Amino acid sequence: NAGVTQTPKFRILKIGQSMTLQCAQDMNHNYMYWYRQDPGMGLKLIYYSVGAGITDKGEVPNGYNVSRSTTEDFPLRLELAAPSQTSVYFCASSTRDRLPHTEAFFGQGTRLTVV
Amino acid sequence: AQTVTQSQPEMSVQEAETVTLSCTYDTSESDYYLFWYKQPPSRQMILVIRQEAYKQQNATENRFSVNFQKAAKSFSLKISDSQLGDAAMYFCAYLGGIQGAQKLVFGQGTRLTINP
């Protein structure tokens, strides 16, 4: 199994540009999450989804949008990139179907720089 | 809303000694999960240990154990016989239960240094 796959691994954007961070999981997990991690800091939840067609805001949703048209994919859209969005972005997925062995699986992260 | 607090930004320990990392959380749910994740410089997130809230027994995984105090909403991680490979950022995380918000929320992290 590939687990959680994020693309791209690195990206440099100019201020005002837009881009989509891709996230795909092949574990048939219901729950998917997007986080950002600023240098030396913890993970802040941007958006999450409890299933296809259902998404909700986390702590820091401003400047981002998500969609969940399939169980496997959970793309994160940045519109009008700003320097404050320079960060490392992580996608994660989890399920309660393996209780009590629930855990979250993470992608390798995307390092985004906005200049 | 659920919150997770790690009050120790940095900790250090001598190799082979024991260290305890603190975590507190706030929730109104009765059914939830707690985790400790390790993040080495590679940025990979590695599950260290998990605890189900309905279980009174503290979880253990080899040199790693937790002290779960549900009433106090405290979830500390004890690392015994510390090794150089344990050096990393450690994150405490909360996952809401079936009846709850079902969000996975992280603390701010504790950077652990192992002194040889």
Side-chain angles (χ1 to χ4, degrees):
Chain A
N1 282 344
V4 179
T5 302
Q6 281 183 244
T7 55
K9 289 186 171 55
F10 303 92
R11 183 72 185 266
I12 298 175
L13 276 183
K14 293 185 178 179
I15 295 172
Q17 286 184 322
S18 301
M19 76 164 294
T20 299
L21 279 66
Q22 301 291 345
C23 177
Q25 52 92 8
D26 61 358
M27 297 171 282
N28 201 33
H29 285 174
N30 310 92
Y31 307 104
M32 295 188 75
Y33 312 86
W34 272 108
Y35 298 90
R36 60 175 287 171
Q37 184 179 27
D38 297 331
M41 305 294 284
L43 280 74
K44 293 184 178 178
L45 183 63
I46 305 172
Y47 272 96
Y48 69 107
S49 170
V50 300
I54 306 170
T55 62
D56 206 349
K57 296 178 181 179
E59 302 170 78
V60 290
N62 292 342
Y64 307 95
N65 277 300
V66 294
S67 60
R68 183 96 181 270
S69 57
T70 67
T71 299
E72 294 76 19
D73 299 300
F74 190 41
L76 177 71
R77 178 82 177 163
L78 279 72
E79 304 282 0
L80 298 175
S84 61
Q85 293 179 305
T86 294
S87 190
V88 177
Y89 292 82
F90 286 97
C91 178
S93 72
S94 69
T95 180
R96 288 182 173 77
D97 294 342
R98 293 172 61 237
L99 292 173
H101 301 293
T102 296
E103 67 176 277
F105 295 83
F106 286 81
Q108 292 300 304
T110 297
R111 181 179 293 278
L112 175 67
T113 302
V114 182
V115 296
Chain B
Q2 292 82 10
T3 58
V4 178
T5 302
Q6 293 178 247
S7 59
Q8 306 156 313
E10 296 183 353
M11 291 283 284
S12 63
V13 64
Q14 291 296 125
E15 192 176 3
E17 297 293 309
T18 295
V19 64
T20 298
L21 308 184
S22 301
C23 173
T24 59
Y25 59 95
D26 187 26
T27 184
S28 59
E29 299 176 311
S30 59
D31 176 30
Y32 51 87
Y33 304 88
L34 295 164
F35 307 92
W36 279 97
Y37 277 87
K38 171 184 178 181
Q39 187 183 44
S42 67
R43 296 202 316 249
Q44 184 182 5
M45 295 292 286
I46 303 166
L47 178 67
V48 174
I49 199 165
R50 73 165 66 81
Q51 174 80 42
E52 295 94 309
Y54 66 86
K55 285 190 175 179
Q56 292 187 340
Q57 186 174 6
N58 290 324
T60 61
E61 288 286 344
N62 300 315
R63 298 182 295 107
F64 300 88
S65 62
V66 298
N67 183 5
F68 173 49
Q69 302 289 326
K70 190 172 184 179
K73 297 178 182 174
S74 170
F75 182 60
S76 61
L77 173 69
K78 185 170 82 171
I79 305 174
S80 303
D81 185 26
S82 298
Q83 300 176 0
L84 295 178
D86 295 334
M89 282 287 285
Y90 285 81
F91 293 100
C92 178
Y94 171 100
L95 178 62
I98 299 295
Q99 303 302 325
Q102 301 167 349
K103 291 190 292 186
L104 178 62
V105 180
F106 284 81
Q108 305 91 321
T110 297
R111 183 175 301 280
L112 178 64
T113 302
I114 311 296
N115 300 313

